[in-house]
Amino acid sequence: MTETPHGAAASTDRVRLAAWVHGMVQGVGFRWWTRSRALELGLVGSARNTSDGRVHVIAEGSRAACERLLELLRSGDTPGRVTLVVESWEPPRGDSSGFEER
């Protein structure tokens, strides 16, 4: 674990993960599964279907927990079939409580 300039452990830094999940991920329980994994990791955010067939996942919490969720999304052990996950990282907004399926 590395130290930040303020002395906090880098793995506990709060971040916002935005992940666009491609594949056969709608109508197969994917959002429910994602919500369950996110809550187990202590994350807040949402998973919502988009009109083009993707699922958009937003998760906020520790960097380590968000990275673990991203690993799980790419693991091949999800409902349906994930073909690609495109992620971006942002500063946390703090505008979520709990984790919603939308």
Side-chain angles (χ1 to χ4, degrees):
M1 209 173 332
T2 60
E3 294 289 312
T4 65
H6 303 293
S11 67
T12 60
D13 290 347
R14 291 190 59 80
V15 296
R16 179 181 182 98
L17 165 67
W20 292 93
V21 184
H22 300 245
M24 192 186 80
V25 290
Q26 291 189 9
V28 294
F30 185 86
R31 291 176 300 148
W32 178 88
W33 180 90
T34 301
R35 178 180 181 272
S36 296
R37 301 298 78 77
L39 290 173
E40 289 169 357
L41 292 166
L43 298 171
V44 297
S46 63
R48 69 175 176 88
N49 287 340
T50 62
S51 60
D52 62 5
R54 297 179 294 174
V55 170
H56 188 211
V57 177
I58 298 291
E60 286 191 11
S62 73
R63 177 87 187 195
C66 286
E67 287 176 349
R68 179 64 183 137
L69 180 62
L70 188 58
E71 289 173 9
L72 291 167
L73 293 174
R74 291 179 168 149
S75 70
D77 293 329
T78 65
R81 182 176 42 82
V82 174
T83 58
L84 175 68
V85 179
V86 178
E87 91 260 13
S88 64
W89 297 92
E90 304 169 11
R93 296 183 191 168
D95 57 358
S96 297
S97 61
F99 200 94
E100 299 179 5
E101 294 175 59
R102 296 183 179 166

